[in-house]
């Protein structure tokens, strides 16, 4: 039988750290790499005595584009994997209404997908299930937690890489989405960050920014065609694309117009999905660490649930002490 001591020895950490992590101790502070190593070691050794949790998953992927859906399918696959390593039971729901109807069966929920929600629906969900974490979006920051990749930093990294390679005019093609909380601004952090960092770096990129519509192959093709029409003789030397699916459409438009990549224009994308290796030419794409996204989401949800249980237990104990102290003493 595998023990926590066995896990500690194999992972090269203390038994106390292993026990606190597997018990879901919200006060434990360890590096993400250490958490991952402990969980992987426990899974490899066949350890299954984790603190049991039952989590709902609100799974609302896009319906319009198969490649766009591939990113969220990858998130879902990674979530299942990490949850299995941690001994967490997942149940998937495809709508808020169905999740609300079964809310009493779960400790909390995790949401995956870009589908926008009405504030009234989110309010009802909050009333039914207090704890939830959204991955990759942030539709209700006052009510639920969220875990998202640092796409602003990714845009800066892309600009730094391209300027260091000698490019001074850099374009951007991306979509929009309602990710700014309950105000539903039709903007996206990638285009906002690209524009902001371009201004800070003194780069003349504003005229080359095309951010509109969904993050799909067809929309990437449409926006690339618009770029070619607007700038027939002064294309930027490089282009950053907000997602791999859009980049596929961009490459299609460039091929149709006889624009060579990277000879005429360099293209850099975001996501690093498997499709990026099968385009012609292969895409240079910034990877999003899906494991860290879902691990952080589960950890954030677990910590919130654990803190709530601790507070409730403290309140119950305090109430019991008050009740006892108020009882008349026996003569």
């Amino acid at each position: 039988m595998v023990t926590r001591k066995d896990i500690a020895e194999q992972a090269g950490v203390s038994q106390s750290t292993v026990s606190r992590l597997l018990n879901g101790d919200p006060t434990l502070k360890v590096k993400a790499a250490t958490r991952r190593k402990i969980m992987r070691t426990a899974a490899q050794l066949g350890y299954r005595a984790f603190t049991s949790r039952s989590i709902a998953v609100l799974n609302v992927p896009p319906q319009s584009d198969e490649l766009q859906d591939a990113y969220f399918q990858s998130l879902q696959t990674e979530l299942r994997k990490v949850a299995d390593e941690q001994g967490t039971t997942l149940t998937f729901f495809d709508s808020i209404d169905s999740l609300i109807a079964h809310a009493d069966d779960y400790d909390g929920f995790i949401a995956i997908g870009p589908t926008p929600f009405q504030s009234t629906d989110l309010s009802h969900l909050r009333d039914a299930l207090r704890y939830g974490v959204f991955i990759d979006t942030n539709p209700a920051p006052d009510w639920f937690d969220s875990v998202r990749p640092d796409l602003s930093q990714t845009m800066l990294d892309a600009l730094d890489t391209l300027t260091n390679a000698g490019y001074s005019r850099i374009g951007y093609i991306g979509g929009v989405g309602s990710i700014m909380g309950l105000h539903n601004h039709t903007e996206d952090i990638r285009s906002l960050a690209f524009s902001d960092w371009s201004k800070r770096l003194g780069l003349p990129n504003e005229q080359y920014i095309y951010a509109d519509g969904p993050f799909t192959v067809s929309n990437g093709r449409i926006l690339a065609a618009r770029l070619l029409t607007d700038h027939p003789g002064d294309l930027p030397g490089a282009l950053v694309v907000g997602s791999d699916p859009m980049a596929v459409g961009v490459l299609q438009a460039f091929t149709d117009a006889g624009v060579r990549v990277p000879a005429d224009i360099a293209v850099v994308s975001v996501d690093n999905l498997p499709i990026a290796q099968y385009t012609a030419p292969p895409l240079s794409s910034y990877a999003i660490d899906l494991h860290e996204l879902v691990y952080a989401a589960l950890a954030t949800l677990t910590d919130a649930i654990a803190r709530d249980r601790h507070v409730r237990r403290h309140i119950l104990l305090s109430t019991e002490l008050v009740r006892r102290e108020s009882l008349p003493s026996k003569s």
Side-chain angles (χ1 to χ4, degrees):
M1 178 179 176
V2 178
T3 66
R4 295 184 176 187
K5 180 179 179 182
D6 297 329
I7 298 170
E9 292 177 350
Q10 181 98 1
V13 298
S14 69
Q15 186 173 342
S16 173
T17 298
V18 171
S19 294
R20 291 176 66 190
L21 178 61
L22 298 185
N23 285 334
D25 184 349
T27 66
L28 177 64
K29 303 296 182 183
V30 296
K31 294 180 179 179
T34 302
R35 286 178 178 265
R36 182 187 300 185
K37 188 175 184 180
I38 293 172
M39 288 302 185
R40 285 181 175 175
T41 300
Q44 290 169 357
L45 294 177
Y47 185 84
R48 281 292 178 267
F50 294 96
T51 299
S52 178
R53 303 179 188 91
S54 185
I55 302 299
V57 180
L58 182 57
N59 186 47
V60 283
Q63 303 298 322
S64 58
D65 188 277
E66 183 178 354
L67 285 184
Q68 186 188 16
D69 185 44
Y71 170 74
F72 295 100
Q73 289 291 338
S74 297
L75 269 177
Q76 182 186 139
T77 299
E78 192 64 27
L79 178 60
R80 290 181 185 275
K81 176 183 175 183
V82 176
D84 182 64
E85 290 177 354
Q86 297 183 4
T88 297
T89 301
L90 301 178
T91 303
F92 286 75
F93 295 87
D94 59 7
S95 72
I96 282 185
D97 289 341
S98 59
L99 175 54
I100 290 174
H102 298 85
D104 291 342
D105 297 333
Y106 302 98
D107 298 318
F109 74 90
I110 287 177
I112 298 176
T115 300
F117 299 106
Q118 297 296 322
S119 60
T120 53
D121 292 334
L122 291 169
S123 177
H124 292 156
L125 178 59
R126 168 69 171 176
D127 291 339
L129 197 55
R130 181 176 179 82
Y131 297 111
V133 178
F134 284 78
I135 299 180
D136 209 61
T137 60
N138 189 23
D142 291 335
W143 296 338
F144 301 112
D145 292 316
S146 66
V147 175
R148 294 174 291 168
D150 190 350
L151 295 175
S152 177
Q153 182 63 48
T154 300
M155 292 297 104
L156 178 58
D157 291 344
L159 285 169
D160 284 343
T161 298
L162 292 170
T163 54
N164 289 337
Y167 297 101
S168 58
R169 294 184 303 153
I170 304 167
Y172 174 81
I173 286 179
V176 295
S178 299
I179 63 168
M180 305 296 289
L182 299 178
H183 299 293
N184 285 325
H185 294 304
T186 53
E187 297 172 311
D188 181 73
I189 189 62
R190 281 158 282 198
S191 58
L192 292 174
F194 182 90
S195 176
D196 182 58
W197 284 119
S198 293
K199 292 174 183 176
R200 290 171 181 266
L201 297 173
L203 300 172
N205 296 338
E206 200 66 28
Q207 62 179 318
Y208 301 119
I209 297 177
Y210 292 79
D212 186 30
F215 287 88
T216 61
V217 174
S218 59
N219 194 44
R221 186 166 55 246
I222 290 170
L223 294 182
R226 191 182 303 170
L227 170 68
L228 294 173
T229 300
D230 293 346
H231 302 278
D234 65 331
L235 284 176
L239 183 68
V240 179
V241 185
S243 71
D244 287 348
M246 293 197 85
V248 171
V250 169
L251 293 179
Q252 291 174 353
F254 286 170
T255 298
D256 292 344
V259 176
R260 300 167 299 167
V261 177
D264 298 327
I265 185 171
V267 177
V268 177
S269 183
V270 179
D271 284 342
N272 198 31
L273 297 173
I275 188 63
Q277 305 305 314
Y278 298 101
T279 59
L283 273 172
S284 296
S285 184
Y286 284 88
I288 294 176
D289 193 332
L290 301 184
H291 180 92
E292 288 302 324
L293 275 180
V294 300
Y295 188 94
L298 283 168
T300 300
L301 184 60
T302 298
D303 289 352
I305 294 169
R307 285 195 303 271
D308 180 67
R309 287 175 176 170
H310 173 75
V311 169
R312 288 182 181 180
R313 180 174 180 273
H314 177 72
I315 292 174
L316 288 173
L317 287 174
S318 298
T319 303
E320 178 66 14
L321 288 174
V322 169
R323 191 186 69 81
R324 288 179 181 176
E325 290 173 358
S326 65
L327 292 175
S329 58
K330 295 181 179 180
S331 56

